[in-house]
Amino acid sequence: MKAIAPSHLKLMFGSSQPTSRSYSCVQNAQRSDSCGTSRSEWRSTFATLTSKVVTQKTLPMPPVSVGIDHVNGHNRAARVLGMNQKPLSVNDLPPAPMHGGANLRVAYQGVPGAYSEAAACKAYPNYESVPCDQFEVAFQAVELWIADRAVLPIENSLGGSIHRNYDLLLRHCLHIVGEVQLPVHHCLLALPGVRKEFLTCVMSHPQGLAQCERTLTKLGLNVTRKAVDNTAVAAEHIAANNIRDTAAIASARAAEIYGLEILEDGLQDDASNVTRFVMLAREPIVPRTDRPFKTSIVFAHEKGTSVLYKVLSAFAARDISLTKIESRPNHNRPIRLVDEANVGTAKHFEYMFYIDFEASMAETRVQNALSEVRELTSFLRVLGSYPMDMTPWSPSSSTSHTASSKMNHSYGNVNMAKP
């Protein structure tokens, strides 16, 4: 499917650049050091932290016709989402009504056979898949009610953070409602009868290529590397175009789907290769204290990075364990002049800071910590408070990736509260 240019996004959904909508979710909110135990009290407290959104322009929801084609959400956009269909693109995003089925529609980036599909299956075993050709399309599919959830990668144990999705978490107002940690087991795939020594090119997602670089060198393959949008897209492209001098780095399931052979199993440089995915929804879930929870926030300060130490101290003083710190450029104010007259040539980069910590928003110590952070910063947004993925993990093997259908993966279910 043809990639959508940023100009098309602007025409359909307004400016693609971050607005005050993205960066004004929580500013100078009233202090609140306690959270009630009832659902209504929790919603009120959570709204103080996450729902003070200043919008420049709210995405309109065009009226939905009630003709026979729209019964239970089975309109044109819904039909695009069936099995063996091309990934959803921005052109398919005009709003559709919420579907009436019991199963959730789950958006992911890529095509069948992608690791994101496996993560979606682990998170929601009885789901209806909504493959999307871009990360942002998956966000918009949930916002426009075409999908109920999105499952998107946020970091990999070898390749690091997926920066694009960190930026999109700010640009969109979805909530993290869970996480999935998926072992990644790469294979070298080619058309039947192709031999490794005759390969001239290897295709995969940039992270897939990076995660197998040393192994490719050890195999003595004199091949060029070609980056594509998704590991499974590489397998699909080779099969669809009958390319016999090129191999794909993808999952064993992709080989099964697209009729390719596995030339090399376990191609990743490190067997402990895990990608962490986040599950996104339009509404937050109610956090609890009866199971391990994780909370994700993002903050910034108009005077730069000097506040970072004080923010970290707010968590350290309450024995709250941080699991992730990530900085990204502040798109609203990327550069700050440092002299008093604000006209000098010395400049500092401005950053947004993302933090994950192991604690629930239902805990008093977390509420007190966030109240202190709110006083220290000019911007604070809670991205979500959600159950941690506590499923047992061991280095993956190819046998766990060769299920006959997406509903029969051996990844196991996420131990989580259903949002």
Side-chain angles (χ1 to χ4, degrees), residues 153-175:
I154 199 70
E155 60 179 326
N156 176 265
S157 58
L158 300 182
S161 298
I162 314 298
H163 293 135
R164 176 61 175 163
N165 283 335
Y166 274 101
D167 294 340
L168 290 173
L169 283 171
L170 267 186
R171 183 173 297 179
H172 299 269
C173 284
L174 299 182
H175 303 269

Side-chain angles (χ1 to χ4, degrees), residues 92-137:
D92 302 309
L93 283 179
M98 188 196 313
H99 78 292
N103 297 336
L104 291 174
R105 287 182 179 161
V106 181
Y108 66 88
Q109 189 272 332
V111 297
Y115 293 108
S116 291
E117 182 205 32
C121 183
K122 179 179 178 181
Y124 304 103
N126 298 315
Y127 77 114
E128 296 179 32
S129 65
V130 185
C132 302
D133 64 355
Q134 300 175 44
F135 290 133
E136 186 155 23
V137 174

